[in-house]
Amino acid sequence: MLGWFFYCVNNFGNRFVLIWRMLWLLAGLCIFCNTSAQTASLSGNVLDENGNGLSGVYLVAVHPETSEVLTATASDDDGKYVLGSVPLRFILNVTRLGYASQNIPVAGETDLDAIKTIRMQVDAAQIDEVIVTADAPRIRREVGKFVMRNISASPFSKGSNALNFLRFMPMVDVRPEGGISILGKNDARIHIDGRSVGSNQMAEQMLKGISASEIASIEIIPMSGSADAAENRGGIINIVLKRPDEGMRLIATVEDRQGYYNSPQGVLFMNYAGKRLDLTAGVTVSYNQLRQDSEHEYDYLQTGLFTHSEFHEKTKSLYGGGYVNLDYRIADRHRLGAQINLSSTNYRNRSSSVNSYGRVGSSRIDSIYRADVRMKSPEANLNWGANLNYVFNIDDKGSRLGVDFDFIDNENKRDIYSLYHRDSDASSVTTDDFLQRPRTYTQVYGGRAEYLHCFNADNKLRIGISAYRGKADNDFFYGIYSGESYVSDPRRTNGFVYKDYNFAGHASFLRVWSEKFETEIGVRVEKYYARGMQQTTSETINRDEFDVFPSLSLLYMPSDDHELSLDFSSSISRPYYGLLNPFITYTSPSTYVQNNPYLRSSKGYELMFAYMLLDDYMLTVDYLYDDNLWTEFTLPAGDMTRTYTDNYGNSHVLDVSLFVSKSLFRDYWNLSAEVMMGYERTYGEVIGQRIDIKDFSYGITLKSNFALSKKYNWHLDMKYKYSSESHKAAYEIGSTHEMEIYLMKQFRRASLSAGVYNILMPAVTVGNTLADYRFSITNKRYVTGVVTFSYTFGNQRARRVEKRQNESIEKRMQW
């Protein structure tokens, strides 16, 4: 199978033949599974006292004589369940916390029909103020993803919000300044209950308002499957929330950060469950202030000149946003969902710099220029998106049809006022006074349809199609101050309109061969067409791409103590809209930023092996090959420095990571250690500069939780991260040390935490040396403290019930 896939990867010339081969293979697998599966399958509904579907009910079929577990499952959100491989004689054990357990004997087909509808009765003795203890959660491997359940039993969840809990999860890196990644990749996409809530900035704000105890499970998907967009190279983190047993829960969170300046924030999160309506919603408001100080050194070796710049920046941004996600059960088999997210940002930035010019190797300064740059939003930038979705549950086995329609509308408007002075002896002369006014309006809309067919509990086929259209309208004004206004410079004022279309289809098949072995095979095809045109020159840029993306996942579990998996995926990195307009933005007298409409897409192939031992140890080996890579370079342009994004070549990357998690001293100390080693071979060139890199890097991350007092719920969390020096295509970065410390206190309805970060490294330096040019940039970092307080409103009895997880059952519940 693997050999066939790699044959396809290396023979893209005949793409349509490849598609037909993949579809015939999937069809063959379906026929094989239908003819080879000889076991019966039982499906039905679990209802509460009022006749409503009851979720989270465990159904375990056991042998009547030996009590051996034959098969097991749990009811879904609608109370539906599917039991595979059911014999004619067994005992069905039905349990759910808060309800009376049932042991139902089954001795024939008549009894099988009788248990298609099971009614549960509330057991008040279990519900009243029960606190159920449970084992600490562990990451378990499932086909194509890692899953952690029973979050509320983790010591890291005590008094913690969802974002802080992710900070201390293995495999996940949460940066204090913003951004979440998996295994050192690019930023992952953050989903809540399987759906995006807008931008990652919005998602991170929402996670601060969700208590970790409200999370049912966390899914970490390092490599996207065929059903996901091929442009997703950073993976997905999906936060699955608990469904309230009744009514509504409301969590209010306030946070205050104190670095060089103060930055307050507030989040309000709501989770509601009714008989037919489920609703999650969140609102956030923040006022962020940031101080940035940096020193820049640029040596132009061909001319023997150098520039030294000192930058001091203050940024203020007022951000407000929210989202609403609802699901309404129209009927037993029909569900209608809708989501809307809205955010607004008002941005202010003031930058001053002193730029000194001289000759390389000399301490003499020939001239000094000072720059004052003010950037602001003329009005709040409004971004919003909407989704309408419909799900039809076709049968009791889990087959369903889903249809989604999406719309996104974003705007980014900035006014950049620049004033340059040349200092000479005791005088100062204004040399430049100009306005840059970029405007970008982006709209994306489209839809997708997906069908999941469950032949039985062990064989599932997923197929789908999607179509999206996008438009980015870029308007750039460059004006020189004259008299009382800014007059347009026709050589620099420009407009650029970019339209693109993406049509895709995907198919995948999941097969559970036995209790020990599972597979998933998939393929995705995408047709991408784009056209861009400059207003001033009428120059056009066309892109026409057709790509095939195969995927494969294998999971082997020889015993409860060992899990081995192998995943292969392919992806593409297309330049996003903001990189494709051709405008030049000046940032100082010696530096400017230029975008590139001719950027080409980069194709990647990834193979990852993972081995989990005794729930406490995990090894991952990840190989990634990319061609036509692109990144942002800092390069000379005459006597100035240009920041420019361009394609540069290919790379081979091998990353090996070892994770160890241990509970010590009767669970008072929980420790997680991660060791990473990486080798990168990159080769190519950019604008005549040869790139030939062989880089070896390593790092270690320690995450620790101390229970200072279990009785009074005091916890101390610490995180330390070391990264060795590394060499990338565009820069070199020295070794770094990072540390974060958080003290947490959990109350009955509230939690309080106080922490500090950026306490080890006062500055970070990046740079590079080429044949005729070298540069270094040192960014200063400020120690920052943060205090967070959360309070939960809602039914306390429901909140106090912690759900005990049976991992041997949960492990079988795929999709």
Side-chain angles (χ1 to χ4, degrees), residues 152-165:
S152 55
S154 168
F156 289 105
S157 71
K158 307 305 180 185
S160 182
N161 58 43
L163 184 66
N164 201 60
F165 184 84

Side-chain angles (χ1 to χ4, degrees), residues 45-62:
N45 298 275
V46 184
L47 308 178
D48 62 14
E49 293 174 310
N50 299 319
N52 300 314
L54 190 60
S55 64
V57 179
Y58 288 105
L59 301 99
V60 183
V62 300

Side-chain angles (χ1 to χ4, degrees), residues 299-354:
D299 291 341
Y300 306 91
L301 303 180
Q302 278 189 337
T303 60
L305 301 176
F306 83 84
T307 301
H308 174 81
S309 302
E310 296 182 5
F311 285 84
H312 304 282
E313 296 183 48
K314 181 179 181 179
T315 302
K316 299 179 180 180
S317 63
L318 178 61
Y319 176 86
Y323 85 102
V324 177
N325 187 10
L326 62 87
D327 283 305
Y328 181 75
R329 289 178 290 281
I330 305 171
D332 287 344
R333 296 188 181 274
H334 301 271
R335 191 188 78 220
L336 185 65
Q339 183 197 87
I340 186 168
N341 60 80
L342 176 69
S343 67
S344 176
T345 306
N346 202 321
Y347 180 85
R348 296 286 187 274
N349 175 273
R350 183 73 178 261
S351 171
S352 62
S353 64
V354 178

Side-chain angles (χ1 to χ4, degrees), residues 408-643:
I408 298 173
D409 187 287
N410 293 342
E411 62 181 19
N412 186 5
K413 296 176 289 187
R414 291 174 295 156
D415 291 342
I416 308 171
Y417 296 88
S418 300
L419 188 63
Y420 297 166
H421 304 272
R422 179 173 180 173
D423 293 347
S424 178
D425 297 328
S427 63
S428 180
V429 178
T430 299
T431 58
D432 297 279
D433 186 351
F434 59 96
L435 167 65
Q436 300 169 99
R437 194 170 58 203
R439 302 283 190 268
T440 302
Y441 305 92
T442 306
Q443 281 191 349
V444 180
Y445 59 88
R448 60 189 183 274
E450 186 175 87
Y451 172 65
L452 171 65
H453 184 77
C454 300
F455 298 96
N456 50 47
D458 296 335
N459 300 277
K460 300 176 183 179
L461 172 68
R462 186 193 298 265
I463 57 174
I465 57 173
S466 65
Y468 285 88
R469 178 189 184 275
K471 178 183 178 181
D473 193 344
N474 302 270
D475 182 29
F476 183 80
F477 170 85
Y478 185 101
I480 300 174
Y481 188 75
S482 177
E484 298 181 355
S485 63
Y486 291 91
V487 179
S488 174
D489 182 346
R491 299 169 302 170
R492 294 170 175 170
T493 297
N494 201 351
F496 183 72
V497 178
Y498 188 84
K499 299 178 181 179
D500 65 354
Y501 306 84
N502 192 323
F503 304 96
H506 70 268
S508 61
F509 187 79
L510 174 70
R511 166 68 166 164
V512 180
W513 300 88
S514 67
E515 293 288 340
K516 297 182 178 181
F517 186 54
E518 304 174 19
T519 62
E520 184 178 2
I521 183 175
V523 64
R524 182 180 184 88
V525 295
E526 288 192 1
K527 172 66 175 178
Y528 180 80
Y529 175 77
R531 178 182 175 86
M533 185 176 71
Q534 293 192 49
Q535 176 183 327
T536 56
T537 64
S538 298
E539 182 181 359
T540 60
I541 296 101
N542 294 295
R543 305 165 69 92
D544 192 352
E545 303 171 0
F546 179 83
D547 295 283
V548 182
F549 306 95
S551 63
L552 176 67
S553 293
L554 309 175
L555 176 60
Y556 177 57
M557 299 167 286
S559 69
D560 290 340
D561 295 334
H562 303 271
E563 297 180 356
L564 299 94
S565 62
L566 185 68
D567 294 271
F568 169 77
S569 74
S570 48
S571 60
I572 194 168
S573 180
R574 297 189 180 99
Y576 46 88
Y577 294 134
L579 289 177
L580 294 172
N581 72 66
F583 310 148
I584 293 176
T585 302
Y586 292 90
T587 55
S588 80
S590 60
T591 58
Y592 66 89
V593 177
Q594 183 177 13
N595 298 317
N596 183 2
Y598 301 101
L599 280 176
R600 302 185 303 276
S601 300
S602 172
K603 193 80 175 286
Y605 305 93
E606 187 172 3
L607 183 68
M608 186 175 76
F609 168 78
Y611 171 55
M612 301 186 69
L613 172 66
L614 298 172
D615 292 335
D616 294 326
Y617 306 92
M618 179 168 64
L619 172 71
T620 64
V621 181
D622 192 20
Y623 168 75
L624 177 64
Y625 170 76
D626 283 295
D627 64 8
N628 267 334
L629 281 165
W630 50 268
T631 193
E632 186 178 83
F633 290 91
T634 301
L635 297 168
D639 58 353
M640 298 187 69
T641 292
R642 174 176 66 159
T643 299

Side-chain angles (χ1 to χ4, degrees), residues 58-236:
Y58 288 105
L59 301 99
V60 183
V62 300
H63 194 280
E65 284 85 23
T66 65
S67 297
E68 175 190 0
V69 176
L70 303 174
T71 186
T73 190
S75 60
D76 62 16
D77 289 342
D78 299 319
K80 300 182 184 301
Y81 73 88
V82 178
L83 274 170
S85 306
V86 178
L88 291 180
R89 291 185 66 252
F90 63 94
I91 295 176
L92 182 64
N93 175 254
V94 187
T95 59
R96 190 187 193 277
L97 191 63
Y99 291 82
S101 300
Q102 301 182 41
N103 291 292
I104 306 172
V106 177
E109 293 184 1
T110 302
D111 292 335
L112 286 175
D113 292 335
I115 62 173
K116 287 188 175 180
T117 300
I118 301 172
R119 294 185 179 274
M120 303 291 287
Q121 301 295 322
V122 171
D123 187 345
Q126 289 190 45
I127 284 292
D128 288 337
E129 297 299 324
V130 170
I131 301 176
V132 178
T133 60
D135 294 334
R138 303 292 186 188
I139 291 181
R140 303 303 301 263
R141 192 70 166 105
E142 296 184 3
V143 171
K145 60 186 175 183
F146 299 85
V147 181
M148 176 181 281
R149 296 185 173 88
N150 203 17
I151 306 300
S152 55
S154 168
F156 289 105
S157 71
K158 307 305 180 185
S160 182
N161 58 43
L163 184 66
N164 201 60
F165 184 84
L166 285 175
R167 195 185 313 276
F168 292 93
M169 274 193 70
M171 307 173 63
V172 178
D173 183 29
V174 179
R175 295 182 294 280
E177 297 82 4
I180 306 175
S181 61
I182 303 171
L183 293 172
K185 299 184 177 184
N186 296 331
D187 283 353
R189 295 184 182 179
I190 310 301
H191 290 178
I192 298 177
D193 284 334
R195 293 190 177 276
S196 169
V197 296
S199 66
N200 268 15
Q201 180 185 6
M202 170 80 79
E204 290 182 35
Q205 301 279 52
M206 290 298 105
L207 293 181
K208 293 179 182 179
I210 300 174
S211 170
S213 61
E214 297 293 321
I215 303 175
S217 64
I218 298 176
E219 299 175 346
I220 302 172
I221 308 170
M223 299 162 58
S224 300
S226 59
D228 301 308
E231 292 183 67
N232 181 10
R233 310 189 76 177
I236 297 172

